Amino acid sequence: MLKKSVVCLLGAACVQNVAGHIALWHPSMWGFNMTEGDNRPVDPLADFTFDRWWFHGHLDHPPNNGDVLELPAGDQVTVELACHKGHTSYNATSGGPIDPKGETNSPCPGAPSTQWHTENEGDVAGCALGIVQKSDVNQVSPEDFVIFSVNHKCVWTRMTDFKVPADMPACPPGGCTCAWFWIHSADSGSEQMYMNGFRCDITGAKPDAPALGQSQVARRCGLDPASGRSGNPSNCTQGAKQPLYWLQKERNNMFEGILDPPVYNDLYGFKDGAQDDIFQQASSNTANLIASPNATEDASLSSSPSPPAAPSSSATLSSTEIATPTESSLISDSKTPTGEPVSPGETLTAASRTIASTHFSGLPSKPKRLTKHFRRPTASANA
């Protein structure tokens, strides 16, 4: 079994004017050499059409044949988080390595942590790896991805581990399709999301490994000390979960406001480390707690939830558990504020973003988070 693989998750400019955007750098990624121009892998994704944000718009720049990121089942893959390709073992596309200034384990040597969108180590919000059991990237859709590993301390240090579930099934011939996802906290920099895709393969898979379950939309359910909101564990999505698609013109599955970003940690039911509940046999035990993104909230909060009722004219939530109207923003809604269904390609309106960010269960509608730290980063240099 491959004991440890070293890859690079990094991005953004750390030379001259620094804005610590992050990307996944590895030869297996789409857009590996796209380090110049206006669509570098390190550039943040916000308010884009689907073809522009999906795989960072790099589907026309695939990795070379044979370049694959190996993911050892039951072990971990060690990655490098940095703010410039030149700070990795792959060096810059041109110009060679960049001096780390003695900060060899910093993701952005010589820069304050605000340059990678965090006030301090306690302010990081986590990042994740997702996988699809398909080798043809053109057959992959957003709903196919399953988040299989999460690191709550991402992004903080350059060297970062992602644990791989022991029951990960083998990939089909040609390998799997993977992606790295990150949404930072609201305290430092303008809000956006990050996605970079790469070819991957599971090594050391068990012959009888269970299949991955059908991923569902993650729901807000954890304690949020930053805003003073209490958690609701019964509202957590059980089993395999989709990535958090947010703040784009099309194909969002998250509708929170810019001061309440969806994140890859306990707030949305993502535990730290390997996600061991993503398999069909594990998901079957909690199937009644999982609903499609278009399901209606019309059952009681009990250990034996009832089937969902028919959609009504009011806005509904993606869960089979009952929720009061003030809980709507804690969960990604599949309908507009007027009750009309949101199609996968429909543009998110400003009105729905506003409603999704101002109502919370049993607590004041206005978050307590201070907004004085909400600022835009400085202009970045080319990675």
Side-chain angles (χ1 to χ4, degrees):
M1 175 186 297
L2 179 64
K3 188 67 178 174
K4 185 175 285 189
S5 301
V6 178
V7 297
C8 302
L9 297 178
L10 68 147
C14 285
V15 217
Q16 300 174 357
N17 293 328
V18 180
H21 308 315
I22 302 297
L24 185 153
W25 292 102
H26 184 265
S28 65
M29 69 181 287
W30 274 264
F32 180 59
N33 292 313
M34 300 294 292
T35 57
E36 305 291 338
D38 60 357
N39 187 25
R40 301 169 300 152
V42 301
D43 292 335
L45 304 171
D47 203 33
F48 287 141
T49 57
F50 179 69
D51 61 342
R52 176 63 177 77
W53 71 259
W54 182 238
F55 279 74
H56 215 293
H58 288 153
L59 289 179
D60 291 335
H61 304 279
N64 294 324
N65 291 332
D67 287 333
V68 177
L69 173 59
E70 293 185 336
L71 302 169
D75 208 319
Q76 65 186 25
V77 57
T78 300
V79 301
E80 296 177 55
L81 301 176
C83 60
H84 194 284
K85 188 177 180 183
H87 288 306
T88 72
S89 58
Y90 301 104
N91 298 325
T93 300
S94 60
I98 297 174
D99 182 8
K101 307 180 188 302
E103 300 177 0
T104 57
N105 203 32
S106 170
C108 289
S113 64
T114 52
Q115 297 302 323
W116 61 92
H117 302 296
T118 182
E119 295 288 327
N120 49 57
E121 185 175 2
D123 191 42
V124 295
C127 64
L129 298 181
I131 192 169
V132 180
Q133 292 273 317
K134 295 179 181 179
S135 58
D136 183 358
V137 69
N138 295 309
Q139 300 300 314
V140 176
S141 67
E143 297 76 20
D144 292 333
F145 271 106
V146 173
I147 296 298
F148 69 90
S149 187
V150 172
N151 189 305
H152 285 184
K153 291 298 183 181
C154 173
V155 177
W156 186 248
T157 58
R158 180 174 67 91
M159 304 303 293
T160 304
D161 296 331
F162 280 97
K163 296 180 179 180
V164 183
D167 286 337
M168 288 292 286
C171 292
C176 292
T177 301
C178 287
W180 176 74
F181 301 93
W182 177 47
I183 297 175
H184 60 76
S185 69
D187 291 335
S188 186
S190 56
E191 290 305 313
Q192 60 256 151
M193 75 173 198
Y194 294 79
M195 174 191 183
N196 299 103
F198 55 96
R199 285 189 184 132
C200 59
D201 195 24
I202 300 298
T203 62
K206 302 175 183 177
D208 59 348
L212 295 175
Q214 175 61 53
S215 60
Q216 306 293 329
V217 174
R219 297 194 296 268
R220 190 167 184 156
C221 61
L223 176 67
D224 186 4
S227 63
R229 301 179 202 125
S230 60
N232 180 10
S234 65
N235 195 54
C236 292
T237 298
Q238 306 296 317
K241 290 180 275 293
Q242 297 173 12
L244 309 171
Y245 305 123
W246 183 56
L247 283 189
Q248 307 308 311
K249 291 183 183 295
E250 302 172 306
R251 305 296 289 270
N252 296 294
N253 64 4
M254 295 284 123
F255 303 98
E256 283 76 350
I258 59 173
L259 291 181
D260 287 284
V263 288
Y264 293 98
N265 58 35
D266 294 326
L267 188 60
Y268 281 77
F270 292 102
K271 71 171 188 175
D272 190 34
Q275 307 298 293
D276 295 318
D277 64 345
I278 62 175
F279 308 102
Q280 285 188 4
Q281 63 181 27
S283 299
S284 64
N285 295 330
T286 54
N288 288 333
L289 296 179
I290 302 174
S292 71
N294 293 321
T296 302
E297 292 283 334
D298 195 28
S300 61
L301 284 173
S302 67
S303 59
S304 302
S306 304
S312 67
S313 58
S314 60
T316 59
L317 307 175
S318 53
S319 168
T320 56
E321 302 168 354
I322 191 168
T324 65
T326 56
E327 288 175 326
S328 60
S329 68
L330 300 184
I331 309 168
S332 296
D333 201 340
S334 62
K335 293 179 180 293
T336 67
T338 59
E340 296 299 320
V342 177
S343 64
E346 184 175 351
T347 300
L348 178 63
T349 65
S352 62
R353 286 180 181 168
T354 300
I355 290 177
S357 65
T358 55
H359 296 88
F360 299 91
S361 177
L363 290 160
S365 62
K366 185 176 182 179
K368 297 179 181 178
R369 189 189 307 278
L370 294 177
T371 59
K372 65 180 181 180
H373 296 304
F374 187 77
R375 57 185 177 272
R376 296 188 180 278
T378 56
S380 62
N382 288 334

